[in-house]
Amino acid sequence: MNSTESTDVLVIGTGFGGAIAAYHLAAGGAKVVMLERGPWVRSEEFEHDFLLGSSYTRIFDFVVGDGMSLLGGNCVGGGSVVYFAAMPRAPKFVFDRHGSIGRRMWPSSISRDTLEPWYDRVSEALPVSMSDWNQVTYAGGLFAAACNHSGRTANPVPVAIDVDRCTNCNWMMSGCRFDAKRSLLLNYLPAAVAHGAEIRPLHEVQRLSHTDHGYRVHYSTVDAEDYRILHDEGVIDAKIVIMAAGAGATPVILQRSEAALGGMPDAVGRYFSGNGERLNTAIVDEDKARELFGLDRGDGRAYEANQIGKGPCVASWDNLDASLPEYSRFSLEQLYFPPGFGTILAQVPGAAGPSWFGREKKEIVRKWQSWLTTFTMSEDDNEGVFGPPPPTGNAHRISQQMLGRGTISYEPTANTRHGWEISDAAVKAVMERDGLARIMPWTNDVVGAYTVHPLASCRIGDDPATSALDDRHELRGHPGIFVTDGSAVPGALTVNPALTIAALAERAIPGIVQAAKDRGVSVKYGAPSPLGETGGRRGTLPLVSDLAVR
């Protein structure tokens, strides 16, 4: 089927960058259509298993590149459906980072102080709250005790979770069937739909081309069971296009569009950051946990609780110190990493035989309930580069669902490796002190680096030579195309990036609204929070006129 239709605004992707834009533009009176490559899975459909064809495999996109693998959401709601809802704000020093270009990466108009009102607005909309120590999980409590024992501080993490609804099932990475995790399915997206926005799942955008009054978006429909199969093709004309397909897909769509649109900025598909991420998993000695910390679950076990909880809930931020040199700043976060990928790659500490398989490996897997994983987010060098795009999609689809082979290449620099090494040493010092645990080593030699927070592949900045977007998120040389997802973030944040991505998207809206007005769209800016709150709106109103100036 070939069809041509039109809309005021076409949004590609339904994660934070897409949902926030769709809500504000629809609430302001624009006709909005959203195209989402993945399925629309409702709360009651999220399943607690890893079977092929379950919600677990349907809502993820795992792309293996050369030296880097990317794990992201593939569903309506995007990354918010599969994230752990940790919502810290980026430290002030992040906005002054120089990285690999030797000068400030971020636009001069953006700092932690100028972004603060937009952080407030998102925190009100989801909402975001701070857990107390009575609400942290067994794993979080053990990690905090280990930090204290080794001379480090630890803090509960701000989260977008309704703790009264949370059952500690620890399946939140696979979507929350209890509506405890505040994903976009519960706020911005239903509010956008209520204002007339249309969401079309299983629609994969392939490329963009010009029309007399804007852009034409070319898409294919995706088979609901086998994502390798594409069905009907269609096009939608729009006056404004908002790219929010994620840092692993947005640059690929733009690369594929270059033949029709004309030259892309050099930074499209370059300067990719994996947020400096790293995993270290410890095998806790149950007797030591009891001896050192007096732990007792009341049934004779000290810990054995890796599977119980709500994802990351405790972090150590001692190395988020502006006085430290770049590439030596990082955060440590207790994390639940589900069995499967992490279990397969775990290596036996000090193995006498093979470290990946065999009798010794079987023994450590038997103790998986005594594992505790620490997640590092550090400063990398934006080394990732996307090669020529595949014929369709963001990757060469390998399996029926979830798995693809991408075009990204990533060779970590000495700076990035230094950040990993010192953070690995910090984790080891915390978890192995006085025999509490043994760290299972991680190496990039087999699968390369990985990230669950891909960033910076179409980043904002002041310098056209090193940024694809201006400080209002408009694609250089292509007026009317905006990028509001994680690919717009200039570099690694040293903390979970969801709140920063969302705050930047909120900040971009006044300029997008003005661009739509300039193209004849009857739209205004000023909608309250999706939940009806107005405190955040009042906080940002003084900034709107400056951001709307073109």
Side-chain angles (χ1 to χ4, degrees), residues 451-468:
T451 181
V452 295
H453 299 135
L455 303 170
S457 52
C458 292
R459 63 187 186 179
I460 54 175
D462 289 333
D463 182 1
T466 58
S467 60

Side-chain angles (χ1 to χ4, degrees), residues 301-449:
R301 291 178 292 178
Y303 171 53
E304 290 188 26
N306 181 53
Q307 79 282 15
I308 303 172
K310 56 175 71 73
C313 55
V314 172
S316 179
W317 294 317
D318 292 355
N319 288 80
L320 298 184
D321 183 344
S323 67
L324 294 173
E326 198 169 359
Y327 305 106
S328 64
R329 299 171 295 202
F330 56 87
S331 62
L332 304 178
E333 193 172 80
Q334 156 270 326
L335 173 71
Y336 173 71
F337 202 68
F341 186 60
T343 308
I344 293 168
L345 294 178
Q347 298 182 68
V348 179
S355 63
W356 299 97
F357 59 92
R359 181 182 59 80
E360 291 175 289
K361 176 65 178 286
K362 183 177 181 179
E363 178 62 19
I364 68 167
V365 171
R366 188 181 66 81
K367 299 177 180 178
W368 72 271
Q369 289 177 301
S370 295
W371 291 10
L372 190 149
T373 300
T374 304
F375 185 46
T376 295
M377 288 163 281
S378 61
E379 296 169 305
D380 67 5
D381 238 348
N382 292 78
E383 299 99 316
V385 178
F386 285 82
T392 60
N394 66 316
H396 298 277
R397 196 62 51 189
I398 296 173
S399 64
Q400 181 175 329
Q401 295 170 8
M402 194 172 181
L403 183 61
R405 177 74 184 179
T407 66
I408 190 171
S409 60
Y410 188 89
E411 179 62 38
T413 66
N415 287 330
T416 298
R417 291 184 181 277
H418 172 71
W420 288 342
E421 288 165 3
I422 62 173
S423 62
D424 285 352
V427 175
K428 195 174 182 69
V430 169
M431 296 307 302
E432 292 194 346
R433 186 178 179 89
D434 293 331
L436 173 63
R438 292 183 301 157
I439 292 292
M440 294 185 281
W442 175 277
T443 176
N444 291 345
D445 296 341
V446 175
V447 296

Side-chain angles (χ1 to χ4, degrees), residues 44 47 73 112 121 124 136 191 204 219 243-244 255 285 302 320 357 362 411 453-454 456 476 482 485 513 543-544:
E44 63 273 13
E47 299 165 275
R112 168 63 185 268
R121 181 154 191 158
E124 177 183 82
V136 305
E204 181 176 79
Y219 66 83
M243 303 289 302
Q255 286 176 325
D285 184 311
L320 298 184
F357 59 92
K362 183 177 181 179
E411 179 62 38
H453 299 135
R476 298 185 187 279
F482 294 84
D485 58 22
V513 168
L543 308 172
V544 170

